[in-house]
């Protein structure tokens, strides 16, 4: 039976964790008014957060929403600074649980990973393999199904108070990006399927971790079920390498079916990078 974790909640609201979380949340932002205001009465603000979390009276504030272009248009949602402290405090406790389970070639939002390491690995495999499939998910963050995400989180977290805090954060950002997600009906859907809660706000540290946990299911499928040795992922962008072109086509269709049936996600199909014949 898979191990589950209990008794985590006191670690989340401990003053030591909140203090460390404040230090992490303020990095690169100390000149901002909200950060300076929180720091002006730091001890009292941290003690207030500690009390609210301990007594489970904590409620997130309102997001500030705006668009960025990088180069695709994305809706970013900025949480109030005190909420970002809580996000760090929660992730400090949750992240080690999944970090030990993530595959080595998951380069998304992890210490010692990142885009440069992902590109280095990709370049090494380009020299070894003839073919590659590069895929990504259509509107990934807005499309994440919250019911499925809750189920994935509950597989490891048996602490009701931690689950309650996660639910509180999920509810605060639910449907912010609903208009950004594609309207898709999957096999077996009923008339109410399109109203399923979905979407994580881009900008939250918790969103980054939960989005990584969500596609850990894809990592396991590709490695264990498809048996792909040369596979890497950076959030919703992933690449598979092989010397067998027919195998690559089969993998692509299997991944498309898995994303749709298990995670309610749509594999992008119009990229000219989808199937590559690698030159050496």
């Amino acid at each position: 039976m898979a191990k589950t974790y209990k008794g985590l909640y006191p670690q989340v609201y401990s003053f030591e964790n909140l203090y460390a979380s404040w230090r992490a949340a303020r990095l690169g932002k100390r000149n901002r008014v909200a950060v300076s205001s929180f720091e002006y009465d730091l001890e009292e603000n941290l003690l207030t957060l500690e009390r609210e979390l301990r007594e489970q009276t904590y409620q997130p504030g309102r997001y500030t929403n705006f668009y960025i272009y990088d180069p695709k248009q994305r809706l970013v949602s900025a949480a109030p600074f005190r909420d970002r402290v809580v996000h760090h405090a929660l992730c400090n406790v949750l992240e080690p649980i999944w970090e030990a389970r993530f595959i080595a070639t998951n380069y998304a939002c992890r210490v010692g990973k990142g885009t440069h390491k992902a590109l280095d690995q990709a370049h090494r495999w380009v020299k070894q393999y003839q073919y590659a499939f590069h895929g990504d998910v259509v509107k990934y963050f807005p499309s994440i199904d919250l019911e499925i995400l809750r189920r994935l989180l509950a597989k490891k977290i048996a602490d009701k108070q931690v689950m309650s805090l996660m639910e509180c954060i999920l509810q605060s950002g639910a449907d912010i990006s609903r208009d950004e997600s594609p309207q898709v009906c999957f096999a077996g859907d009923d008339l109410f399927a399109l109203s399923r809660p979905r979407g994580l706000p881009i900008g939250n540290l918790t969103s980054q971790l939960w989005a990584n946990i969500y596609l850990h299911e894809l990592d396991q499928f590709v490695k264990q079920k498809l048996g792909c040795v040369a596979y890497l992922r950076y959030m919703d962008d992933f690449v598979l390498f092989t010397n067998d072109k027919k195998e690559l086509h089969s993998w692509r269709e299997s991944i498309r079916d898995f994303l749709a049936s298990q995670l309610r996600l749509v594999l992008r199909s119009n990229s000219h990078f989808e199937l590559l014949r690698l030159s050496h």
Side-chain angles (χ1 to χ4, degrees), residues 7-39:
L8 300 173
Y9 196 56
Q11 298 176 42
V12 175
Y13 67 71
S14 74
F15 188 87
E16 293 77 11
N17 188 33
L18 290 172
Y19 181 81
S21 299
W22 159 71
R23 290 179 63 88
R26 71 172 183 164
L27 285 176
K29 303 178 178 68
R30 296 193 66 181
N31 293 329
R32 297 185 183 180
V33 173
V35 179
S36 299
S37 177
F38 191 93
E39 189 171 347

Side-chain angles (χ1 to χ4, degrees), residues 43-275:
E43 184 175 8
E44 180 59 31
N45 285 323
L46 291 179
L47 287 171
T48 298
L49 274 180
E50 180 186 23
R51 182 180 68 254
E52 290 179 6
L53 290 168
R54 183 179 64 249
E55 296 175 355
Q56 293 188 274
T57 58
Y58 164 78
Q59 289 295 323
R62 294 173 63 89
Y63 288 89
T64 300
N65 301 306
F66 55 93
Y67 284 97
I68 63 170
Y69 301 86
D70 64 342
K72 294 183 291 186
Q73 176 178 290
R74 297 181 190 273
L75 176 65
V76 175
S77 302
F81 182 73
R82 76 190 304 263
D83 293 338
R84 280 177 265 159
V85 173
V86 173
H87 298 167
H88 276 272
L90 178 60
C91 288
N92 286 346
V93 175
L94 294 181
E95 193 169 3
I97 294 172
W98 272 277
E99 180 61 31
R101 291 164 176 78
F102 287 152
I103 65 171
T105 53
N106 166 3
Y107 291 94
C109 307
R110 298 172 65 196
V111 175
K113 300 292 184 177
T115 54
H116 294 298
K117 294 287 182 67
L119 287 171
D120 288 345
Q121 180 61 74
H123 288 154
R124 286 193 291 271
W125 279 336
V126 162
K127 297 174 182 178
Q128 298 177 42
Y129 294 95
Q130 290 183 299
Y131 299 100
F133 163 51
H134 168 240
D136 70 315
V137 174
V138 176
K139 295 285 187 177
Y140 178 49
F141 276 76
S143 299
I144 291 173
D145 187 278
L146 299 189
E147 182 179 328
I148 296 173
L149 176 61
R150 291 183 185 102
R151 188 163 67 245
L152 295 176
L153 294 171
K155 282 184 178 181
K156 291 298 175 189
I157 307 301
D159 186 312
K160 292 182 179 180
Q161 292 171 304
V162 171
M163 290 297 296
S164 178
L165 176 58
M166 290 195 289
E167 181 64 25
C168 184
I169 296 171
L170 284 173
Q171 289 292 337
S172 74
D175 292 333
I176 281 179
S177 57
R178 172 170 286 276
D179 292 341
E180 304 293 308
S181 63
Q183 300 296 302
V184 179
C185 288
F186 296 95
D189 278 355
D190 56 25
L191 294 175
F192 303 101
L194 290 178
S195 65
R196 290 170 66 102
R198 61 186 184 273
L200 294 176
I202 297 174
N204 279 5
L205 186 67
T206 47
S207 295
Q208 293 180 11
L209 176 60
W210 292 338
N212 218 359
I213 291 170
Y214 203 81
L215 278 186
H216 176 63
E217 301 301 300
L218 173 64
D219 299 343
Q220 296 296 98
F221 175 75
V222 172
K223 299 292 286 184
Q224 296 181 9
K225 299 296 184 181
L226 299 185
C228 178
V229 174
Y231 163 83
L232 62 84
R233 177 173 65 82
Y234 184 87
M235 200 49 76
D236 66 305
D237 279 281
F238 54 91
V239 188
L240 295 79
F241 296 84
T242 182
N243 287 320
D244 187 332
K245 189 175 182 179
K246 288 183 64 177
E247 182 176 55
L248 202 63
H249 279 281
S250 175
W251 285 349
R252 178 181 59 179
E253 295 312 308
S254 295
I255 288 171
R256 189 188 309 279
D257 292 344
F258 176 83
L259 289 173
S261 64
Q262 301 302 311
L263 298 176
R264 298 182 64 83
L265 297 173
V266 177
L267 179 68
R268 192 180 303 277
S269 59
N270 61 353
S271 171
H272 65 281
F273 289 110
E274 219 175 63
L275 285 173

